[in-house]
Amino acid sequence: VAVSEADAKAIVLEHAGIDESVVVLYQSKIDMDGGRQVYEIEFYAGDYEYEYKVDCTSGEILKYERDKGRP
């Protein structure tokens, strides 16, 4: 794993344009997707739920979703 969990968190928060102070129920785990290790990251901010997949080697965002929904 070349990208730390903290780096992956910073990548997704910057992509979402969100300050860490407004994030709630943050979860991150490493999983396999298409033969490569990815971080699966989920969190809530404001009125939205965010879901990301980030490549553990490159830090590339492979998938993201933002859905209306509160915890």
Side-chain angles (χ1 to χ4, degrees):
V1 177
V3 176
S4 72
E5 192 278 332
D7 289 341
K9 182 177 186 179
I11 289 166
V12 301
L13 292 179
E14 181 178 336
H15 180 268
I18 293 174
D19 187 83
E20 187 172 357
S21 66
V22 299
V23 172
V24 294
L25 298 177
Y26 179 88
Q27 296 180 328
S28 175
K29 69 177 183 178
I30 294 178
D31 203 356
M32 294 298 289
D33 186 16
R36 60 177 151 185
Q37 283 188 313
V38 298
Y39 287 104
E40 291 187 353
I41 298 174
E42 298 179 20
F43 61 91
Y44 291 88
D47 292 333
Y48 293 95
E49 175 186 15
Y50 295 82
E51 295 181 23
Y52 280 85
K53 286 189 179 181
V54 178
D55 187 288
C56 288
T57 302
S58 68
E60 176 188 359
I61 295 171
L62 304 173
K63 177 184 173 187
Y64 72 95
E65 293 181 18
R66 183 182 86 158
D67 296 318
K68 191 86 163 163
R70 297 187 62 94

